[in-house]
Amino acid sequence: MAHLPLKNIKVIELANGLAGPGIGTFLSDYGAEVIKIEHPEKGDMLRTYPHMKDGVPLYFKVMARNKKTITLDLHTEESKEILTDLLKDADVLTESFRPGVMERFGLGYEAIKAINPRIVMARLSAYGQTGPYSKKPGFATVADAFSGLAYQQGHPEKQPLLAPYGYSDQVAAIIGAYAVMTALYERDTISQEGQELDLTIYQGPYTFVGPHVTWYDQLHYVTERMGNRVPNAAPRNLYKTKDNKWLVVACSSPSMFERICKSIGREDLLTQNDLQTSEGRVARVDEIDDIMQSWADTKTLQEALEIMEANEVASGPVLSVEDIFSDPHYQARGDIVTVEDDELGPVKMQNVLFGMSRTPGKVRYAGQKMGASNIEIYRDQLGYSEEKIAELKEKGVI
C-alpha cells in the first residue's frame, strides 16, 4: 500500500471554525498527523453548527476528518507545559485567534520559536497580524464584503450578494495549506529554520476576484454587478430550458463562439464583423442572451446538452447535491467517499482535493468525539502517567 505523502509532518491545531481548521484538514488528507486542541467544555464552534443528525454535528465530521482530537484549556497554568511538550517535535502550529490573543497566553511567535526553532507558525485571522483593522473580529461573510467579491456579485440595481457558505474561509484554508508547505520546503531545503506566516481571510477573494486592481489603476474601471454575466466575455450566462432546468454556456474565444453559433443554428452571426471580438460580443450581450434564451426555450436540458456537446461547446447543467450523488462523472472519479464513523456508521463526504499517482491522499475517518485521542497523545506520545492524566482532567485542564 502506498504511503501518505505528508506522513512525517506533525501539526498542532489551535484553530477554531472553518478557515484555520481547514488548513489542518487539507494537510491531514495527505497524511499529516494533525492534533486538534479544543477547550474541554466548549469544543470547536463547528460542533454547534447545524445540520445535526441525532445531535451529531455533520459539518464537524467533515472538517475534523483525519485529525486526532484532544482537549486542553489554554487559560490554565498547566497548559503551557503541556503545549510545550506538544510543540517540541512539531512541524507546524496553526492558530486562528485575533492578533494579540496568543501573546496574552504567552504563546507569541518568539515564545513558540524558543520552544522549537524549526516550527512553522501559521497565524490566520480576518485582517492579518498588522494594519489598522487587525484586531477587528471577522468571518468569511465579512471577508466576502471587504474583499470586493460581494460588490461584484448580484444583479444590476440590486443589493450585493454574499456567498451562501464560508467561501472565503475555504479559500483561506487552501492558501494556508499552500503557505505551510512553502515554508516547510524552504526550511527543509535551505535554512533549516521555521517562520511565522501572516494569513488573512479577505486576501484570497480579493486576489481571486479578477484583475480589478489593475483595471481600476489603469482605466479607473469599477466592475459592477452584472448578474451571471462578466465584463470580458459573451455569451456567458444561465439559460432556462423548456423543462424548467438550467443550462450554463461560457464563451471565451472566437472558436467557442463559432461552435455556439453552429449549435443554435445561427451561423449568420459569424458574418457580422463586430461579433468576432469579445469586446463586440459584450457590447451586444443583451441581444446575444435573448438569442440564446430563445433557443433554450425550445429544448429540454438533455437535448440542449447533447447538441452543445456534439459541437464541443463549454456548457453544462446546474446540479444540486442530489444530482451530484447520481452523476456518473462524480461516481467514476470517486469524488464522494464513504467512511465508517463510530457515531453515524457509514457517512459520505467530499473526497480529497487532488489525485496523486504514487502517494494519493485518503479520508481515513470522520471527525472524532471531543477528547477522543487524549490517551493516545498524552499517555502514548508524551509519556504522561494515568495518574497525571486523571489529575489534569479533575482540574479541568484537559
Side-chain angles (χ1 to χ4, degrees):
M1 180 179 177
H3 62 269
L4 292 164
L6 300 182
K7 72 172 188 173
N8 293 325
I9 300 298
K10 180 177 180 180
V11 180
I12 305 301
E13 180 176 294
L14 282 174
N16 188 38
L18 280 175
I23 298 173
T25 303
F26 293 128
L27 296 175
S28 68
D29 278 353
Y30 293 88
E33 180 187 30
V34 178
I35 300 173
K36 180 176 182 60
I37 297 175
E38 299 180 82
H39 188 280
E41 296 178 0
K42 300 175 183 178
D44 191 292
M45 62 191 294
L46 281 188
R47 291 190 183 274
T48 68
Y49 273 30
H51 296 286
M52 306 268 183
K53 181 180 181 182
D54 300 327
V56 178
L58 299 180
Y59 210 160
F60 183 84
K61 286 293 181 183
V62 176
M63 292 303 297
R65 67 196 199 182
N66 295 331
K67 299 179 184 179
K68 299 176 180 179
T69 59
I70 66 172
T71 50
L72 181 64
D73 185 353
L74 295 181
H75 297 87
T76 63
E77 188 60 35
E78 294 91 339
S79 69
K80 309 302 185 296
E81 178 185 346
I82 296 171
L83 194 59
T84 297
D85 290 340
L86 287 167
L87 292 172
K88 284 178 180 177
D89 64 346
D91 297 283
V92 180
L93 170 65
T94 64
E95 65 98 353
S96 60
F97 295 108
R98 270 191 265 175
V101 172
M102 288 290 284
E103 282 73 13
R104 290 200 297 274
F105 283 136
L107 297 171
Y109 175 64
E110 291 304 319
I112 299 299
K113 182 180 178 181
I115 297 169
N116 180 354
R118 285 176 53 82
I119 201 164
V120 171
M121 184 177 183
R123 314 190 70 173
L124 192 150
S125 60
Y127 298 97
Q129 299 297 308
T130 62
Y133 303 156
S134 61
K135 300 297 176 65
K136 293 174 64 174
F139 295 107
T141 300
V142 179
D144 286 354
F146 185 70
S147 67
L149 173 65
Y151 185 87
Q152 298 186 30
Q153 293 186 150
H155 290 275
E157 310 305 325
K158 300 291 185 179
Q159 67 179 6
L161 288 182
L162 299 166
Y165 57 95
Y167 170 79
S168 296
D169 278 339
Q170 298 284 30
V171 171
I174 294 172
I175 293 170
Y178 168 50
V180 164
M181 294 309 300
T182 301
L184 289 176
Y185 182 83
E186 189 280 336
R187 182 196 71 179
D188 293 343
T189 64
I190 301 174
S191 68
Q192 306 303 311
E193 296 180 4
Q195 58 184 301
E196 181 182 21
L197 307 181
D198 184 358
L199 304 164
T200 76
I201 301 176
Y202 80 85
Q203 283 177 291
Y206 158 76
T207 299
F208 297 156
V209 78
H212 59 154
V213 170
T214 304
W215 281 348
Y216 184 75
D217 172 61
Q218 296 295 308
L219 303 171
H220 290 283
Y221 177 85
V222 176
T223 305
E224 300 291 346
R225 291 180 286 286
M226 303 177 67
N228 290 315
R229 296 172 175 175
V230 291
N232 55 356
R236 192 267 197 184
N237 216 324
L238 297 174
Y239 306 98
K240 195 172 186 178
T241 55
K242 74 175 184 180
D243 54 348
N244 292 318
K245 297 181 180 180
W246 293 97
L247 170 75
V248 62
V249 176
C251 176
S252 57
S253 67
S255 61
M256 189 59 66
F257 184 62
E258 182 177 345
R259 297 172 197 173
I260 291 170
C261 290
K262 182 178 179 181
S263 297
I264 65 174
R266 289 299 305 269
E267 289 94 335
D268 59 294
L269 297 175
L270 299 174
T271 66
Q272 301 179 33
N273 291 335
D274 60 331
L275 295 183
Q276 305 315 303
T277 66
S278 293
E279 292 85 356
R281 291 191 292 274
V282 169
R284 293 173 61 181
V285 64
D286 289 336
E287 177 187 354
I288 290 173
D289 272 346
D290 286 344
I291 292 171
M292 293 295 299
Q293 185 57 62
S294 295
W295 178 81
D297 286 338
T298 67
K299 302 289 185 291
T300 66
L301 176 61
Q302 187 59 40
E303 289 169 345
L305 287 173
E306 288 176 358
I307 293 170
M308 291 288 178
E309 289 172 7
N311 290 293
E312 298 186 333
V313 172
S315 61
V318 175
L319 300 183
S320 69
V321 68
E322 183 179 11
D323 298 324
I324 286 172
F325 260 68
S326 59
D327 186 87
H329 189 78
Y330 278 92
Q331 293 175 357
R333 289 184 58 82
D335 292 325
I336 298 175
V337 64
T338 303
V339 293
E340 289 294 327
D341 181 69
D342 58 359
E343 295 180 280
L344 297 171
V347 56
K348 289 182 170 60
M349 61 184 65
Q350 296 98 318
N351 208 341
V352 298
L353 271 178
F354 53 88
M356 300 180 72
S357 61
R358 287 193 301 105
T359 58
K362 184 178 182 180
V363 181
R364 303 177 298 285
Y365 52 88
Q368 298 178 337
K369 295 178 182 178
M370 197 156 63
S373 294
N374 276 0
I375 294 300
E376 176 186 351
I377 301 304
Y378 290 134
R379 185 191 66 189
D380 300 342
Q381 286 199 18
L382 300 186
Y384 292 179
S385 67
E386 299 279 2
E387 292 75 18
K388 181 174 182 177
I389 293 172
E391 180 184 355
L392 290 170
K393 187 174 182 180
E394 179 68 23
K395 289 182 176 181
V397 177
I398 64 173

